[in-house]
Amino acid sequence: MRDFSVLSDVEFEELVGDLLGAEFNTLVERFAAGADGGIDLRWNLLDGIHIAQCKHYRKSTFSQLKAAASKEVAKVIELHPVAYMFVTTFDLSPSQKEQIYSIFSQWMTDPSAVLGGRDVDALITRHQAVERRHPKLWVSTGMQLFWNLHSDIANRTEALRQRIEKSMPKYVVSPGYQAARQLVEDHNVCLISGPPGIGKTTLAHMLLAEHISSGYEPIEVSMDINEAWVSLSRDTRQIFLYDDFLGQITFSERLAKNEDRRLSDLIERFSEEAPRKKLVLTTREYILRDAKLNYERLSELDTRHQFVLELKDYRKSDRAQILYNHLWHSDVSATCLREVAEGGYKHILDHQSYNPRLIEYCTGRAFDVETPGYPERFKATLDHPERIWKVAFEKHLATEQKMLVLVLCTLPRQAHIEILQEAHSALCEYLGITNTETSFREALEVLEGTFIAISRDDSGGTNIRHLNPSVTEFALGRIAMDRRIMAAIIKSAKFFEQLSELFLYGAGGSFFHPGNTTLMSALGKSKDDFLEAMESRFESQSSQRQDVQILGTQFRALIELSGKFEKRVGFYLQVDKEWGLRPSVIEERVEFMITRWRNHEGDKSQALDLFDDVSKNPLSTGLLSDVHDALHNWLEQTLEETEDWQHYVKHLTDHDGVDLDDELWLAERFEEFMEREFRSTSPHPSNLDEMKSLADEFGLHELSDRIEEALHEEHGPDEDDYERPWSVRDHEEKGSDAYIENLFMRFRE
């Protein structure tokens, strides 16, 4: 049976109205509660007026449903229809149908006029065109079928699956959804931008859910776009989600060097060559505007393909439905709901700070949803949204729990639980706060769903993040205001990256948002402690580690990501620009890298980026020459993979001024490499696009043609039969004051 729990009672009535209209081939009128004496649905047949009552009971017992049905009798007597139907999502047994029928037998010919959940399900199967007009229902049903058929994918994407299933019931289908669907259909790519809290991620989740229901495998990109390239599967329908791809606060915290190129290449490939691949991205509007000024490729792509959807605001009808859905699916007390119904909703819907994120917070467990005065508390939060976290932080959290919220700012956006525990324990110990394994777990339980979110990654590791960017902004503000906490975080840092994360939040680097000036000022006052901590933590383990299973065993281990030292030396150069360091400090770090590169140690991509930065630093000519030679020899002597060739060619063209057409010996060496690749891989080598680019740069036309043929065979004709019928609903009536008043009056029942 389909899962009707994703629908509110209003959405269920709309579904039933469409189903009965299709069943009887007539127009079925709908009425809000209280609008017409208890009628939900009404239609006119040859024998007279028929009416129906809908009861969408999620958590009730049959006795409660029967009692509610009995209360309808007086209304039906007054209306005196020729026929009456009672429709519910409750899965009724034959005996229970008989009991409901006995209540309304005067207006029913037999128990078939009582429809339970399975009867509604059968009607939907008979009228599938109706189901298409109710996306939440068919998307939810199709998604559950996909999970059941692909348990391996369900397990691998458990965290994403939970977030989608949590957001879907409260979602309101709006014009933005149809616009986003159209962009995905036309371009295979949709970039959703808009102000904080407008619902970008929820819309992205709906797009993913829809495609999952059509057989697409979901892939969540969390760190950088390379995850998408690695996850590409030639013969599989896939949809990729890259949430907040330009960063949560400023774009400078997210895109690594050259990631804009890899991202634009992926968008280009999806838009023009890969109809079985879809990409959904989200970002704040001002960050996107900023990034377009700095990343020319993003601006060019949007101009050519026009795949950006900007969410600006909601119509009044959408605002009302969003608030109603959140209240209906929440645990807000009957007292508070009555206050909303009696006019409290008006101050919420018309408020200038209205957005779905604040609605979710004020209907969630972190808010007082029990005691009288609920609309006033709700409005006070909208008046001063910055106080959301302040009140909860100061009044409801123990000191140890507060430190967990704060220290999370200094860790990767998705921090592994063991990394967080190490950093948190060190901070608590420095401040003299009692901290144990048990209290740490208790802190996670208290904070989950309010300040933090807990999820599992593809490898089975547990990750912790702030619930949303506004929590991060709040926590950074607290750190900036409290010099004692600032000093403690710096001096207790277990990982070098804790320092760089904090610094980058302060320094920013974008034109419109240069960073957090208050935080940067506070860091400046702790400059000596900060530099000392950088020195002492330079060779520490990295906080950017991945949980992997050790091959051939049941054991797991946290493995450091490559490029740790390249990034750390690059950070020294950033700090030097901001504060000015002694030349000997920079020289010492550069010499450290020279030694590693001579030993063929490090990450080549990060090394190329670092060399760009080192070249701009006023180092001695001899030291700069040593850096170049160490990198050049490492790249030249280790040409084993396609990426090795890409790195070497980039170095030659960018820094050595080499014209590849003149390097015949190198072209011959690349041809030999490619011949080995074609012989050793079946049916074709991977990274064909990159290989073709290199062949073109070397002027190897025959090799380029051969790769082009392989690319054509790989992609082949690939028709995407994905198509969903759609109907646009008229929201004018739903935006009327009368409709909205009757909508919220339901909470008085």
Side-chain angles (χ1 to χ4, degrees):
M1 190 171 76
R2 291 167 174 83
D3 180 14
F4 296 108
S5 67
V6 297
L7 304 178
S8 69
D9 57 342
V10 175
E11 291 164 335
F12 176 65
E13 287 172 17
E14 292 179 347
L15 170 68
V16 173
D18 287 346
L19 288 171
L20 295 180
E23 182 73 5
F24 298 119
N25 193 28
T26 189
L27 173 66
V28 174
E29 299 175 275
R30 302 168 194 161
F31 299 90
D36 199 357
I39 298 176
D40 287 336
L41 305 170
R42 181 177 68 188
W43 62 100
N44 194 359
L45 298 181
L46 292 176
D47 56 348
I49 297 297
H50 294 235
I51 66 174
Q53 195 74 27
C54 300
K55 295 293 181 184
H56 183 13
Y57 272 45
R58 296 174 302 146
K59 305 174 183 178
S60 66
T61 63
F62 175 71
S63 60
Q64 291 173 315
L65 178 65
K66 186 177 177 181
S70 298
K71 293 179 182 178
E72 299 295 325
V73 173
K75 300 176 185 177
V76 182
I77 291 174
E78 187 174 335
L79 294 167
H80 196 61
V82 298
Y84 179 78
M85 294 185 72
F86 187 87
V87 188
T88 179
T89 50
F90 199 97
D91 189 14
L92 298 171
S93 68
S95 171
Q96 290 169 336
K97 274 195 174 190
E98 288 283 354
Q99 293 179 57
I100 298 293
Y101 166 68
S102 66
I103 297 173
F104 301 108
S105 58
Q106 181 179 346
W107 304 280
M108 294 180 176
T109 55
D110 56 58
S112 65
V114 179
L115 303 184
R118 292 184 187 275
D119 301 308
V120 177
D121 193 68
L123 268 179
I124 295 172
T125 300
R126 191 153 64 243
H127 302 289
Q128 293 189 14
V130 170
E131 185 178 20
R132 299 293 190 268
R133 298 202 294 271
H134 297 268
K136 286 170 62 173
L137 185 63
W138 59 255
V139 163
S140 173
T141 302
M143 192 167 61
Q144 292 304 321
L145 178 61
F146 180 88
W147 298 135
N148 291 337
L149 293 175
H150 303 87
S151 58
D152 56 331
I153 298 176
N155 293 331
R156 190 168 66 247
T157 60
E158 179 184 0
L160 177 63
R161 174 187 177 185
Q162 289 176 354
R163 293 200 299 277
I164 293 175
E165 291 178 350
K166 180 182 177 182
S167 63
M168 187 176 294
K170 299 173 184 177
Y171 184 70
V172 171
V173 178
S174 66
Y177 175 52
Q178 172 62 2
R181 292 178 75 253
Q182 196 65 49
L183 286 176
V184 173
E185 181 177 338
D186 292 344
H187 304 292
N188 300 321
V189 178
C190 178
L191 194 166
I192 306 167
S193 77
I198 194 68
K200 301 181 292 294
T201 299
T202 306
L203 174 55
H205 283 170
M206 274 298 293
L207 292 175
L208 253 70
E210 178 176 346
H211 284 77
I212 292 168
S213 73
S214 298
Y216 281 75
E217 176 186 356
I219 306 292
E220 185 173 26
V221 179
S222 57
M223 293 296 291
D224 60 57
I225 200 62
N226 191 54
E227 294 177 49
W229 281 105
V230 171
S231 301
L232 278 174
S233 176
R234 183 180 305 166
D235 302 318
T236 306
R237 286 182 172 190
Q238 294 174 302
I239 180 164
F240 297 80
L241 171 63
Y242 197 177
D243 201 16
D244 279 322
F245 81 105
L246 290 173
Q248 291 188 322
I249 310 299
T250 64
F251 82 85
S252 61
E253 76 183 75
R254 170 53 67 89
L255 289 190
K257 285 190 176 179
N258 298 321
E259 187 178 357
D260 63 313
R261 177 182 61 80
R262 295 186 65 78
L263 175 59
S264 62
D265 287 348
L266 188 72
I267 291 173
E268 195 85 60
R269 178 169 176 177
F270 280 20
S271 297
E272 298 180 357
E273 302 175 16
R276 293 168 66 91
K277 310 298 178 189
K278 313 290 181 182
L279 176 63
V280 180
L281 309 103
T282 74
T283 185
R284 296 187 180 191
E285 184 276 331
Y286 63 78
I287 298 179
L288 177 62
R289 184 177 67 240
D290 190 5
K292 282 185 177 181
L293 294 177
N294 291 270
Y295 298 137
E296 187 176 348
R297 283 175 176 244
L298 285 179
S299 185
E300 288 178 355
L301 279 173
D302 180 36
T303 300
R304 190 160 70 254
H305 297 294
Q306 296 183 335
F307 55 81
V308 175
L309 171 67
E310 183 179 348
L311 298 182
K312 294 182 178 179
D313 201 358
Y314 292 101
R315 299 169 304 185
K316 192 171 183 178
S317 58
D318 296 325
R319 290 182 171 215
Q321 292 288 336
I322 290 169
L323 175 59
Y324 184 86
N325 277 13
H326 276 76
L327 290 168
W328 200 84
H329 287 284
S330 71
D331 293 320
V332 176
S333 70
T335 299
C336 295
L337 289 176
R338 278 194 297 271
E339 291 178 337
V340 172
E342 290 167 357
Y345 67 88
K346 296 178 182 178
H347 301 298
I348 300 170
L349 296 184
D350 296 329
H351 202 287
Q352 63 180 2
S353 295
Y354 177 104
N355 71 45
R357 178 178 295 160
L358 292 177
I359 301 305
E360 182 174 19
Y361 175 81
C362 292
T363 55
R365 67 179 187 176
F367 201 70
D368 181 357
V369 295
E370 294 287 338
T371 62
Y374 178 67
E376 289 75 19
R377 291 192 298 277
F378 206 132
K379 181 179 180 300
T381 300
L382 295 175
D383 288 339
H384 303 283
E386 73 280 358
R387 296 179 185 173
I388 288 178
W389 309 115
K390 184 175 185 291
V391 174
F393 187 85
E394 293 179 349
K395 293 187 176 181
H396 303 301
L397 300 186
T399 304
E400 179 187 354
Q401 296 159 5
K402 293 177 182 178
M403 293 307 104
L404 194 152
V405 173
L406 298 183
V407 80
L408 196 52
C409 287
T410 68
L411 298 173
R413 185 182 174 208
Q414 296 275 0
H416 191 279
I417 189 171
E418 290 182 21
I419 301 296
L420 173 59
Q421 186 171 7
E422 285 187 60
H424 177 247
S425 179
L427 177 58
C428 288
E429 183 179 348
Y430 182 88
L431 291 170
I433 301 168
T434 302
N435 171 254
T436 64
E437 174 84 21
T438 301
S439 64
F440 175 73
R441 298 285 175 173
E442 290 174 350
L444 293 179
E445 292 178 9
V446 169
L447 296 170
E448 185 178 14
T450 53
F451 286 91
I452 67 171
I454 303 175
S455 61
R456 297 183 72 82
D457 59 28
D458 293 351
S459 303
T462 301
N463 293 325
I464 319 293
R465 62 178 175 85
H466 280 145
L467 188 64
N468 60 56
S470 65
V471 180
T472 307
E473 292 171 327
F474 165 78
L476 289 169
R478 300 290 298 198
I479 294 171
M481 289 189 303
D482 193 326
R483 290 193 65 178
R484 174 172 169 267
I485 296 298
M486 171 71 80
I489 287 176
I490 291 172
K491 293 180 179 180
S492 69
K494 291 282 291 185
F495 313 106
F496 184 92
E497 286 71 27
Q498 288 183 259
L499 303 169
S500 60
E501 286 285 330
L502 201 56
F503 184 93
L504 291 176
Y505 274 127
S510 67
F511 179 79
F512 286 101
H513 286 264
N516 187 322
T517 54
T518 305
L519 177 61
M520 203 62 204
S521 176
L523 283 169
K525 293 173 183 177
S526 301
K527 174 181 172 182
D528 292 341
D529 290 338
F530 192 91
L531 296 178
E532 183 180 338
M534 285 176 60
E535 290 291 316
S536 63
R537 301 292 185 272
F538 181 73
E539 296 194 44
S540 66
Q541 283 190 306
S542 173
S543 61
Q544 298 174 333
R545 286 181 269 169
Q546 187 174 1
D547 190 328
V548 298
Q549 186 166 345
I550 301 174
L551 191 64
T553 74
Q554 296 180 336
F555 300 106
R556 311 191 66 80
L558 285 177
I559 306 299
E560 288 190 331
L561 302 180
S562 61
K564 174 177 78 173
F565 288 114
E566 283 84 0
K567 291 178 182 177
R568 291 181 179 183
V569 174
F571 178 64
Y572 263 90
L573 298 175
Q574 287 180 278
V575 174
D576 182 44
K577 288 180 182 178
E578 186 73 28
W579 287 339
L581 302 179
R582 297 191 313 276
S584 60
V585 173
I586 300 298
E587 290 172 2
E588 180 183 350
R589 294 307 175 210
V590 171
E591 288 170 351
F592 176 86
M593 293 311 306
I594 290 172
T595 302
R596 287 180 56 80
W597 292 349
R598 283 174 176 166
N599 293 329
H600 297 177
E601 296 174 345
D603 181 279
K604 291 182 178 180
S605 178
Q606 294 294 333
L608 288 169
D609 291 342
L610 177 58
F611 183 72
D612 285 341
D613 293 336
V614 168
S615 300
K616 300 168 187 174
N617 194 276
L619 296 173
S620 67
T621 304
L623 187 58
L624 187 58
S625 177
D626 289 344
V627 177
H628 173 273
D629 292 346
L631 178 60
H632 182 95
N633 293 336
W634 175 29
L635 297 176
E636 183 181 34
Q637 294 167 15
T638 54
L639 294 171
E640 299 169 358
E641 306 288 345
T642 304
E643 281 198 347
D644 296 327
W645 279 94
Q646 287 179 289
H647 293 141
Y648 185 46
V649 167
K650 177 175 171 51
H651 175 72
L652 291 176
T653 55
D654 288 359
H655 294 287
D656 290 1
V658 171
D659 185 347
L660 295 181
D661 285 335
D662 297 333
E663 302 295 323
L664 298 180
W665 68 273
L666 191 58
E668 291 176 3
R669 188 173 171 186
F670 179 67
E671 275 193 296
E672 293 172 0
F673 166 79
M674 285 302 304
E675 187 60 39
R676 290 195 300 272
E677 287 291 293
F678 273 106
R679 284 200 308 267
S680 61
T681 55
S682 177
H684 303 298
S686 58
N687 302 320
L688 286 174
D689 291 306
E690 291 82 355
M691 291 175 170
K692 185 178 185 307
S693 296
L694 289 174
D696 290 337
E697 287 191 68
F698 281 117
L700 300 171
H701 304 301
E702 290 185 8
L703 176 59
S704 179
D705 291 342
R706 182 180 180 185
I707 297 174
E708 182 67 40
E709 291 177 10
L711 276 169
H712 181 72
E713 291 177 18
E714 178 181 284
H715 295 147
D718 195 3
E719 295 298 325
D720 185 3
D721 60 3
Y722 166 71
E723 178 60 36
R724 290 289 191 184
W726 178 261
S727 66
V728 179
R729 293 188 174 258
D730 181 6
H731 283 256
E732 289 183 7
E733 180 188 348
K734 292 185 178 182
S736 69
D737 291 341
Y739 180 91
I740 292 173
E741 180 181 1
N742 285 321
L743 176 68
F744 288 100
M745 285 292 287
R746 291 168 175 265
F747 290 132
R748 295 188 63 182
E749 293 183 338

